[in-house]
Amino acid sequence: MRRRLTLLVAATTVLVLIAFLVPLAVLVRQAAADRAVSQATVVLQTIVPLVGTSSDDQLALSLQGQPVPVSVFTPSGAVLGEPAGQTPAVRLAASNLLAFTVATGSGREIVAPVAISGRGVYVVRTVVPDADLTRGVARSWLVLAGLGLTLVLLGLAVADRLARNLVAPIADLSAVSHRLARAELSARASPAGPPEVREVAGALNHLAGRIQDLLREEREQVADISHRLRTPLTALRLEVESLRDPGEAGRVAAAADSIERAVTLVIQQARRRGGERKSCDATSVVADRVAFWTVLAEDTDRRVRQELPDSPLLVALPAEELAAALDALLGNVFAHTPDGTALAVTLRPHPGGGATLTVSDEGPGFPQQSLLRGASGSGSTGLGLDIARRAAETGGGSLQALTAPTGGALVRMDLAAAALTEP
């Protein structure tokens, strides 16, 4: 926009200068020619009175030292002053007794007849060469061209300054909108520039504030709903204590603990204002959750194969979110495959940092639309894979639903590497 405004002003300035300078240049050339012709005419007017009052010898002396070369043709055919031959203009002036100016190949020829009683018709003639007609024109044109160029450059400088003052607030609005898109809801635009741009800045700030208010209300509502779940969890714990089978009580208590962790995570996420980045040891988290689900796998005759690195593996995702994502993926396997279906959990590091977490099974698989929130081909809510996807994307990664070599489902989570400044 800034360049277009500058080019527009430059084009307008050039057109105005052309409309002004071209006629002025023609006028300068015409003025130079008129000046030269006027000077020669004045000289002829001083010679004409001498023709009737002086003898030929006296007239010849008077013609010497004139500013322009002057020739006087006598009735006898002699030429006084500047030697020259009779031209058609001289003969026409002598026969018709008319003074006039005619353009020739070498310049302007000026003739003036003088009729003297008893002596005949004398013709006074001078020629203004082309060099005199255009003297000073080139220099004047260079001055006009320099003036025009200076005006163009000055116009470009003023246009660039005005365009910068206009574009800078718009660029600031664009930067603020991009920051808001990156969830930096505290970003605000500084009202500057023309009134229309200031009005847009105020509207953008109002929109950002409104978004903050709506998100705050939503977080509080989610946190309140999550908090209400603690009451039935407490009742569930009391029921667990009344169970007589220790193994049964342990499994139910572990499930209750898992639900409580999930509820706590929902409350923390709902009240998180955004911007903070946390990391965790993916090896430890994955090993812990696989161990938890292995107990249920043994009860359903499922073979669990895990492949984990021997060293810690930091990823840009909080431990609670990674655990919730893995629980959602493993929960899908147990919910949508028959008992006895084998599954595998693999965690491999990336060469440049980060890791790939893969959960696969030997079941019937699932359609690609299962990645859509609320879409499911098995009668469920369709939120399991979406939870894992959102967790992966929160840390800068991604999630893909593929088909395993055995024909079952394969979900691959790419986890970004943790920043070096993170604990």
Side-chain angles (χ1 to χ4, degrees), residues 148-214:
L149 181 60
T150 301
L151 292 177
V152 170
L153 294 178
L154 182 61
L156 290 177
V158 174
D160 182 73
R161 182 59 180 268
L162 294 177
R164 184 168 64 250
N165 293 337
L166 178 62
V167 172
I170 299 178
D172 180 64
L173 290 178
S174 176
V176 171
S177 65
H178 287 302
R179 291 177 60 190
L180 292 175
R182 294 194 298 267
E184 297 181 26
L185 299 182
S186 60
R188 293 293 184 273
S190 300
E196 295 81 3
V197 179
R198 292 199 299 269
E199 183 177 355
V200 173
L204 182 61
N205 292 339
H206 177 71
L207 176 62
R210 183 57 180 162
I211 292 174
Q212 276 189 318
D213 295 338
L214 293 176

Side-chain angles (χ1 to χ4, degrees), residues 275-320:
E276 63 269 19
R277 291 292 184 90
K278 295 182 179 180
S279 62
C280 71
D281 178 11
T283 303
S284 175
V285 174
V286 173
D288 177 70
R289 301 318 300 158
V290 171
F292 173 82
W293 287 93
T294 300
V295 177
L296 181 59
E298 293 175 354
D299 293 340
T300 55
D301 298 326
R302 299 175 185 268
R303 181 172 54 87
V304 179
R305 180 176 59 87
Q306 63 176 347
E307 183 180 342
L308 306 178
D310 298 329
S311 58
L313 185 57
L314 292 179
V315 295
L317 196 64
E320 298 83 0

Side-chain angles (χ1 to χ4, degrees), residues 209-227:
R210 183 57 180 162
I211 292 174
Q212 276 189 318
D213 295 338
L214 293 176
L215 288 179
R216 186 182 302 108
E217 294 176 4
E218 182 181 0
R219 291 190 188 104
E220 294 303 326
Q221 290 178 359
V222 173
D224 291 343
I225 294 174
S226 302
H227 188 72

